[in-house]
Amino acid sequence: MSSGIEIQHLSKQYEKKTILHDINLKFEPKTIYGLLGRNGAGKSTLLGLISDRIFPTQGRILFNAEMIHDNDQILGQFYLMSEVDLYPNRRRVRQLFRDTEQLYGEFNRKYADELVKKFGLDDSSQYGKLSTGYRTIVKLIIALCVPATYIFLDEPVLGLDANHRDIFYRELVETYTERPRTFVISTHLIEEIANLIEQVVVIKSGRVLVDDSSEALIAESYAITGPKNVVDSFVSGLNVIGSETLGNLKAAYVFGALDDRPIPDVITIEHMDLQKLFVNLTNEEETQNDAL
Amino acid sequence: MSSGIEIQHLSKQYEKKTILHDINLKFEPKTIYGLLGRNGAGKSTLLGLISDRIFPTQGRILFNAEMIHDNDQILGQFYLMSEVDLYPNRRRVRQLFRDTEQLYGEFNRKYADELVKKFGLDDSSQYGKLSTGYRTIVKLIIALCVPATYIFLDEPVLGLDANHRDIFYRELVETYTERPRTFVISTHLIEEIANLIEQVVVIKSGRVLVDDSSEALIAESYAITGPKNVVDSFVSGLNVIGSETLGNLKAAYVFGALDDRPIPDVITIEHMDLQKLFVNLTNEEETQNDAL
């Protein structure tokens, strides 16, 4: 019997627009996932479906082989931190913590108090009076302190300054080490989470484009630089996902095996980092030629 | 007679809380400013005051030596793109462009159409149906196409993916070159705008901490690395704004002149980049020792 979340042939349409198309994915226990994709690719819709806030047009989602739909016992193990502000503006932060404790039956108050201090949050403030960054911080603290074992973080660092982002990344690693659970993180600051995520899912225009480990992805990603004509002839027949030119020099980005072709002296081959790989993988045709 | 915006002894309190304290600043014509500061430092409040959306407790704001308050002729030259969603959810993007044209008497529709295409925005969509990233994009496009000569961008890349951020930075440079005007950009992705901004204003806990050119700031910022005891004795008496240690090694961050002290062979001195400088300048005492 499979454990974890299993998404089978999931599609979602709004009016006549297809947002997600035949998604098949697994989220295993105790793993940190990066859920990456361009603005409007369908990431938030996918997270909404997994947490049963919206419903699929086709397909189904299972957890430990049981349907998640309307299954409170399963959904109590999931927590979605979303961009949408669900909290009443007048409610004080402390009260929100208590509300969550009531709802989930459990809440790590000690850790929440620690995080309040570390982030410099005034927990007697009304939620609606906080800046964008601090509203995100409240949602983050709740997400890290609920007893759920599958935590979905949609844009967890929206509006956070560099110091606060740093604190969040460190806390994530620490709390994950102490109590391993699954985190699915959707963010546009890929560089910053690249070292945290073990598995990468890339959604492009409503379809799964990549579903692999970070390690495997980087191992198969190359930046090949050198004189334009030499680079062009070297990469011919390879899976070139993007390129940039500077005068007579060219960088070609290749995803996939390089085979055994001989490497000319004048070119350099390096692995791309995750952000570079991702930008090139998800770039639309029409903007690709537009690169600096 | 001074031209541009002049802020004199500006203070703002909410209930008993001081948000801004005795702010004195100038924003000159045709200059790109970075307005930097931690979450909750008072940046958005300052921008709200400059655009006369909220009113100071003390002090005043002048434009070309005239008071801005209730002065429609002046305020028509300012444009604030804020995090707050002011647009009706049901209004279509195209209609919002038309609304803006009516309000400002002018609107660069040709450029707006170009940007719609470059960002891959569906301008027949209702505003409220767009993702966070695309809502930001709509606001950005409007900000770049209004005839105003002072444009304030509060978190202009909130929720934007890496490709879209790239497009924005390029367009900003291009439109600025074609039609120089003042941009004041408040963002937490400092690294990404470091090369764009000419002047830096840092707000810390409601006060102006830094007001200088990027060039001058970087020239006065040093990262000094080497064996802990050598670094410690070298930086004694200097303005150390932060440090990190790794085993026996230490990096000390210094802001200000190094004087003529002799430099031991075993230490390395480099300039800090803007993001590093800023993180260290704005870091609170209690989190500084917490650094990795």
Side-chain angles (χ1 to χ4, degrees):
Chain A
M1 199 179 86
S2 98
S3 75
I5 298 173
E6 195 167 350
I7 297 171
Q8 297 176 335
H9 302 293
L10 195 74
S11 293
K12 177 68 183 177
Q13 299 186 343
Y14 278 118
E15 289 157 23
K16 282 181 184 163
K17 224 167 160 184
T18 300
I19 311 292
L20 291 173
H21 182 83
D22 195 26
I23 302 284
N24 293 283
L25 277 176
K26 278 186 182 179
F27 292 107
E28 309 276 349
K30 303 180 186 178
T31 308
I32 301 183
Y33 289 85
L35 176 63
L36 312 179
R38 302 280 317 260
N39 284 132
K43 305 180 299 293
S44 301
T45 303
L46 179 61
L47 295 179
L49 288 164
I50 295 175
S51 35
D52 210 35
R53 289 194 191 169
I54 52 173
F55 314 113
T57 311
Q58 274 175 6
R60 55 184 201 162
I61 303 172
L62 305 174
F63 180 67
N64 296 348
E66 273 185 79
M67 295 280 281
I68 64 150
H69 181 54
D70 266 347
N71 189 327
D72 286 343
Q73 214 186 341
I74 290 174
L75 294 169
Q77 296 178 61
F78 295 179
Y79 186 83
L80 170 61
M81 171 203 163
S82 80
E83 300 172 88
V84 186
D85 274 335
L86 295 171
Y87 301 122
N89 275 337
R90 301 223 158 172
R91 205 100 179 121
R92 295 185 192 280
V93 173
R94 261 188 241 128
Q95 294 173 318
L96 293 177
F97 292 167
R98 268 183 244 125
D99 297 347
T100 312
E101 184 161 14
Q102 282 214 320
L103 200 66
Y104 277 81
E106 211 182 298
F107 186 76
N108 194 338
R109 277 303 290 272
K110 192 166 154 271
Y111 188 39
D113 289 343
E114 249 180 81
L115 291 172
V116 162
K117 236 177 168 176
K118 283 187 182 167
F119 281 110
L121 169 68
D122 175 3
D123 66 356
S124 68
S125 267
Q126 291 183 358
Y127 182 72
K129 292 239 166 104
L130 296 172
S131 67
T132 310
Y134 272 114
R135 278 204 292 269
T136 300
I137 286 170
V138 170
K139 293 194 267 183
L140 268 183
I141 293 178
I142 292 174
L144 296 181
C145 295
V146 290
T149 49
Y150 284 75
I151 316 280
F152 303 92
L153 304 173
D154 198 1
E155 293 281 358
V157 297
L158 202 73
L160 259 60
D161 65 43
N163 297 342
H164 282 155
R165 295 201 302 275
D166 243 33
I167 297 175
F168 165 61
Y169 301 132
R170 284 184 219 169
E171 290 300 324
L172 183 74
V173 171
E174 206 159 300
T175 184
Y176 174 73
T177 312
E178 273 181 27
R179 179 163 79 86
R181 51 209 194 273
T182 290
F183 287 97
V184 179
I185 306 169
S186 176
T187 180
H188 293 306
L189 302 186
I190 298 160
E191 216 163 16
E192 297 189 347
I193 60 152
N195 293 325
L196 303 179
I197 58 184
E198 305 165 70
Q199 293 283 326
V200 181
V201 173
V202 177
I203 305 284
K204 184 177 181 176
S205 309
R207 290 161 199 262
V208 176
L209 184 69
V210 168
D211 176 16
D212 210 338
S213 71
S214 311
E215 217 173 310
L217 282 174
I218 289 169
E220 292 224 309
S221 312
Y222 303 94
I224 293 147
T225 45
K228 193 176 171 311
N229 56 340
V230 186
V231 169
D232 280 340
S233 91
F234 178 78
V235 300
S236 123
L238 297 177
N239 181 25
V240 179
I241 56 170
S243 65
E244 290 173 285
T245 52
L246 182 69
N248 181 40
L249 293 173
K250 182 165 186 170
Y253 302 114
V254 171
F255 183 53
L258 289 187
D259 66 37
D260 292 339
R261 56 188 70 200
I263 301 168
D265 280 348
V266 292
I267 67 171
T268 316
I269 301 185
E270 284 173 322
H271 287 290
M272 262 182 277
D273 61 38
L274 210 55
Q275 165 122 355
K276 197 94 188 164
L277 170 64
F278 171 73
V279 168
N280 281 294
L281 272 178
T282 56
N283 218 344
E284 303 299 324
E285 303 282 282
E286 58 273 23
T287 54
Q288 243 178 57
N289 305 317
D290 222 79
L292 275 181
Chain B
M1 197 180 87
S2 98
S3 73
I5 298 172
E6 197 168 347
I7 297 171
Q8 296 175 336
H9 302 294
L10 195 74
S11 295
K12 177 68 183 176
Q13 299 187 342
Y14 278 118
E15 290 159 23
K16 284 181 182 161
K17 224 166 161 184
T18 300
I19 311 291
L20 292 172
H21 183 83
D22 196 28
I23 301 286
N24 293 282
L25 277 176
K26 278 186 183 182
F27 292 107
E28 309 276 348
K30 303 180 185 178
T31 308
I32 301 183
Y33 289 85
L35 176 63
L36 311 180
R38 300 280 317 260
N39 284 132
K43 306 179 302 290
S44 300
T45 303
L46 179 60
L47 296 178
L49 288 164
I50 295 174
S51 36
D52 210 33
R53 289 194 190 169
I54 52 174
F55 314 114
T57 311
Q58 274 176 5
R60 55 185 201 161
I61 303 172
L62 305 173
F63 180 66
N64 296 347
E66 274 186 78
M67 295 278 281
I68 65 150
H69 181 55
D70 264 349
N71 189 327
D72 286 343
Q73 216 186 340
I74 291 174
L75 294 170
Q77 296 177 62
F78 295 179
Y79 186 83
L80 169 60
M81 172 203 162
S82 80
E83 300 171 88
V84 186
D85 275 334
L86 295 171
Y87 301 124
N89 275 337
R90 300 223 158 171
R91 205 100 180 123
R92 294 184 192 280
V93 173
R94 260 189 242 127
Q95 294 173 320
L96 293 177
F97 291 167
R98 268 182 243 125
D99 297 347
T100 311
E101 185 160 13
Q102 282 215 320
L103 200 67
Y104 277 80
E106 211 182 298
F107 186 76
N108 193 339
R109 276 303 290 269
K110 191 167 152 274
Y111 188 38
D113 289 342
E114 250 179 80
L115 291 173
V116 161
K117 236 178 169 174
K118 283 187 183 168
F119 282 110
L121 170 66
D122 175 4
D123 66 355
S124 67
S125 267
Q126 292 184 357
Y127 182 72
K129 293 240 165 104
L130 296 171
S131 68
T132 310
Y134 271 114
R135 278 202 293 268
T136 300
I137 285 169
V138 169
K139 294 193 268 183
L140 268 183
I141 293 178
I142 291 174
L144 295 180
C145 294
V146 289
T149 50
Y150 285 75
I151 316 279
F152 303 91
L153 304 174
D154 197 2
E155 293 281 356
V157 297
L158 202 73
L160 260 60
D161 64 44
N163 297 339
H164 282 154
R165 295 202 301 274
D166 242 33
I167 296 175
F168 165 62
Y169 300 131
R170 284 185 218 171
E171 290 300 324
L172 183 73
V173 171
E174 206 159 300
T175 184
Y176 174 74
T177 312
E178 274 181 25
R179 178 164 79 85
R181 51 209 194 274
T182 289
F183 286 98
V184 179
I185 307 170
S186 174
T187 180
H188 292 305
L189 302 186
I190 299 159
E191 215 164 17
E192 297 189 347
I193 61 153
N195 293 326
L196 304 178
I197 59 183
E198 305 166 70
Q199 293 284 327
V200 181
V201 174
V202 178
I203 306 283
K204 183 178 181 175
S205 308
R207 289 161 198 264
V208 176
L209 183 71
V210 168
D211 177 15
D212 211 337
S213 71
S214 310
E215 219 173 308
L217 281 175
I218 289 169
E220 290 225 309
S221 312
Y222 304 94
I224 293 147
T225 45
K228 193 176 172 310
N229 55 340
V230 187
V231 169
D232 278 340
S233 90
F234 178 77
V235 300
S236 125
L238 297 176
N239 181 26
V240 179
I241 56 171
S243 64
E244 290 173 285
T245 51
L246 182 70
N248 182 40
L249 293 173
K250 182 165 186 169
Y253 302 114
V254 170
F255 183 53
L258 289 187
D259 67 37
D260 293 338
R261 56 188 71 198
I263 299 168
D265 281 348
V266 291
I267 67 171
T268 317
I269 301 186
E270 287 173 321
H271 287 292
M272 261 182 278
D273 62 37
L274 210 56
Q275 164 122 356
K276 197 91 189 167
L277 171 63
F278 170 73
V279 168
N280 281 294
L281 272 178
T282 56
N283 216 345
E284 303 298 324
E285 304 281 282
E286 58 273 22
T287 54
Q288 245 179 56
N289 304 318
D290 221 80
L292 274 181

